[in-house]
Amino acid sequence: MARTHLIFLLLVAFLSKTSSSSSLPSREQEKDRIKTLPGQPKVAFSQYSGYVNVNESHGRSLFYWLTESSSPSPHTKPLLLWLNGGPGCSSIAYGASEEIGPFRINKTGSDLYLNKFSWNKDANLLFLESPAGVGFSYTNTSSDLKDFGDERTAQDSLIFLIKWLSRFPQYKYRDFYIAGESYAGHYVPQLAKKIHDYNKAFSKPVINLKGFMVGNAVTDNEYDSIGTVAYWWTHAIISDKTYKSILKHCNFTVDKVSDDCDTAVNYAMNHEFGDIDQYSIYTPTCVASKQKKKKTGFFVRMKNTLLRRRLVSGYDPCSESYAEKYYNRPDVQSAMHANVTGIRYKWTACSDVLIKNWKDSDKTMLPVYKELSAAGLRIWIFR
């Protein structure tokens, strides 16, 4: 408790030094400006990307990409922070490059083209690769990768946001929203609560959080799991016999399930699923990325099903591989001020290390929703 209070006081002192009236770009901000991305079509909006250190002693730095609004008056538009889940998946890979961002990547990973449905028409979009170890975000303390969880992720994200606002003071006090999907069903409300608690120390909210929204969100372990199994069954992915077996042997409220439950779920996945994309069952799978199915424990398999990012129907199933081609290009990384420390591993859309070593995960987000709703935040949950 004392350590948390000390961090809080340090953040208050840090932010109090920032001028809220400045509208001119700071020198540090200008260093993050993206002049143009390789293969990018001409655009009128500004872009920035770079690192924010969230823990000096461990060397944890989070990577962000800001695409300002393409509207004629971006300074009047809100700031929206987008988080992808996993845990361990990149907001740049999915949120920015497949979903709400202004660009799409072509099949060869050589060029970008415009997304006509980009949310940056109505908001300034801030994509964050979180926690450290995801995408270009990194830590200099390898043990961090085996000791991440909900609490540290939320705390690091709050520190990132406070420091980022000091770098971009024109967004201080701007209407602010958080959005995300999948396991960001934890990240988003948990960060919203951190911000809500932080703002209580000020007469005027420093981070002007107005609300948040989550899609296909991991919300409650018991009901999410029951709903997933019911979805498999009602869409003829698993048999009546397997469905009844899972419901009979699985107690989704416990941390460690029975061997009978493990057997029932693994049978469904290894023998009845077939060659389908679980997240978009009526669209083709990407042939290039097919992998052999492995027999693993219940929670590894179910977490990969429940917590991974959700693929949206009507898209190219191989788009993830295009992103990995593009963001591993040295000229792209240079243009984005990414991988400045020479990370020894390739940029990937998701990190398997993090999901296997996740330490703390709240069983339900419902109490947080209740608290923040009562506090007046606007909340939108969609499927």
Side-chain angles (χ1 to χ4, degrees), residues 66 68 77 79 124 164-165 168-174:
L66 172 69
E68 293 192 326
K77 299 297 182 180
L79 176 66
N124 300 281
W164 187 88
L165 285 171
F168 288 82
Q170 65 268 40
Y171 286 102
K172 193 177 176 184
Y173 304 116
R174 187 83 61 95

Side-chain angles (χ1 to χ4, degrees), residues 14 90 102 130 178 315 338 345:
F14 176 87
S90 165
S130 174
I178 314 173
Y315 80 118
Y345 49 84

